[in-house]
Amino acid sequence: MASARKIIIDTDPGQDDAAAIMLAFGSPDELEVLGITTVAGNVPLSLTSRNARIVCELCSRTETKVFAGADAPIARKLVTAEHVHGKTGLDGPELSEPTMALQPGHAVDFIIETLRREPEGTVTLCTLGPLTNIGLAFQKAPDIVPRIRELVMMGGGFFEGGNITPAAEFNIYVDPEAADIVFRSGVRVVMMPLDVTHQLLTRKDRVKRMAEIGTAPAKAMVEMLEFFERFDIEKYGSDGGPLHDPTVVAYLLKPELFKGRDCNVEIEVQSELTVGMTVVDWWHVTERKRNAKVMRHVDADGFFDLLIERFARI
Ligand code: RIB
Ligand code: CA
């Protein structure tokens, strides 16, 4: 068995973040979670740091190191998304407060130290929220960039437009300066935009299969998703809501589920109208560097089969 792939999960839980973390925990043979770093995004940092530990305890993975990171974007006021995720960010199930402690030290320093310690090219960054921690780490320690195997991120949108503004997806919109640092850094980016995640709807039949797992973690996840999807069902009139963040972990487990191409991606940081937009040169109409592998298609049934199969292992 090849050794497990080393990952750091940077996250702003968020029910869909919780699903991504649970998918990683359900795949211990393939993924070694070196640590979880939290960032302000869906809800303020104190809550994303609380929620990350709740998910670890829900999955009986209390040995996981959780580090709190940035409580605000690099150059802007924090924008949060309680309207989607609820006041706590993890609304839906009845959950008790976490008992496991946060690790001492800042998430940015954990990311830097880990990348400097682990052999070059062996650590993958999985980002599920605004890129503030990553942007700060790259500013503080540019030497870590070439040491990163891949940065697989949920964020952006192009053909699908935006979800927090007509032009911008939430993770990029919250901290466009951080995203700009990341996309200009030269790190190998794999991008899961709304163009992919909007094909992954938490349809009733899929949630029913998840409920049939019958375990406490699966039950809590179903209650999270039933809360989380209500906003998008109302907005899009669809059967279920788009399940964004688990695409990042699913890509590491079964990359063949996804199809995309290397493109240039640049981040709008100036215009008030389109700030946070990911401008994707999908048709290669410019000579700009193809700095990201942008996914556009996904096998939705294969994705949910993987999710449900791995959730059942926890
Ligand atoms: O736009 C969707 C993204 O924003 C997801 O990561 C969700 O958790 C929020 O962070
Ligand atoms: Ca998220």
Side-chain angles (χ1 to χ4, degrees):
M1 163 73 76
S3 61
R5 182 164 177 169
K6 293 176 180 174
I7 66 172
I8 294 174
I9 299 175
D10 191 74
T11 178
D12 64 335
Q15 291 87 348
D16 60 321
D17 302 68
I21 296 167
M22 191 178 280
L23 177 58
F25 285 155
S27 314
D29 295 342
E30 294 107 317
L31 300 174
E32 180 187 355
V33 180
L34 298 178
I36 292 178
T37 52
T38 60
V39 66
N42 286 320
V43 286
L45 180 69
S46 57
L47 285 172
T48 59
S49 303
R50 164 194 180 264
N51 296 342
R53 288 177 287 153
I54 286 177
V55 178
C56 289
E57 293 183 348
L58 187 61
C59 299
S60 311
R61 293 293 296 269
T62 52
E63 82 291 352
T64 308
K65 294 192 175 77
V66 180
F67 294 83
D71 62 3
I74 286 180
R76 292 172 189 265
K77 241 170 78 50
L78 178 63
V79 170
T80 51
E82 287 88 349
H83 59 290
V84 179
H85 299 272
K87 210 169 46 57
T88 70
L90 219 46
D91 284 22
E94 275 301 306
L95 297 163
S96 22
E97 292 307 304
T99 52
M100 66 185 276
L102 277 174
Q103 293 296 308
H106 195 284
V108 168
D109 295 325
F110 168 73
I111 290 167
I112 294 169
E113 285 152 21
T114 304
L115 281 162
R116 284 177 171 163
R117 183 190 68 241
E118 297 294 331
E120 183 163 335
T122 61
V123 177
T124 299
L125 300 182
C126 301
T127 70
L128 313 178
L131 290 163
T132 313
N133 287 336
I134 313 303
L136 289 171
F138 287 9
Q139 281 181 326
K140 187 171 181 183
D143 60 287
I144 66 172
V145 174
R147 302 184 62 81
I148 298 164
R149 177 172 173 179
E150 244 177 349
L151 185 151
V152 188
M153 55 153 317
M154 190 280 140
F158 193 59
F159 299 96
E160 277 291 296
N163 59 1
I164 189 78
T165 76
E169 177 278 325
F170 180 80
N171 286 340
I172 308 296
Y173 179 76
V174 168
D175 199 339
E177 283 73 19
D180 193 37
I181 291 167
V182 171
F183 277 86
R184 290 182 186 282
S185 69
V187 69
R188 177 165 164 65
V189 173
V190 176
M191 180 174 156
M192 294 288 169
L194 297 177
D195 308 276
V196 161
T197 67
H198 280 190
Q199 299 173 49
L200 298 170
L201 299 180
T202 57
R203 282 186 340 219
K204 286 186 187 52
D205 61 307
R206 289 164 173 166
V207 176
K208 183 168 174 294
R209 284 172 60 202
M210 219 175 275
E212 285 162 358
I213 296 171
T215 60
K219 179 173 176 296
M221 181 48 60
V222 165
E223 290 166 354
M224 285 185 205
L225 296 184
E226 284 172 344
F227 179 91
F228 166 72
E229 70 185 14
R230 83 212 180 292
F231 177 80
D232 285 321
I233 290 173
E234 173 74 24
K235 178 175 171 182
Y236 299 112
S238 48
D239 172 6
L243 192 49
H244 306 287
D245 291 339
T247 55
V248 169
V249 178
Y251 169 77
L252 299 181
L253 297 170
K254 290 190 92 171
E256 65 275 15
L257 290 174
F258 301 91
K259 288 201 173 13
R261 66 169 71 151
D262 289 338
C263 302
N264 174 263
V265 178
E266 300 211 356
I267 311 296
E268 175 58 66
V269 292
Q270 302 289 337
S271 146
E272 270 318 296
L273 178 64
T274 56
V275 64
M277 180 174 183
T278 47
V279 180
V280 177
D281 184 3
W282 181 261
W283 302 111
H284 302 148
V285 297
T286 73
E287 295 301 312
R288 294 197 290 247
K289 183 169 177 284
R290 298 178 189 181
N291 57 343
K293 180 161 187 113
V294 179
M295 296 302 179
R296 190 171 176 198
H297 304 285
V298 59
D299 167 0
D301 289 334
F303 171 83
F304 280 97
D305 288 348
L306 173 67
L307 220 59
I308 290 158
E309 189 258 321
R310 296 302 162 97
F311 285 0
R313 296 188 186 182
I314 294 173

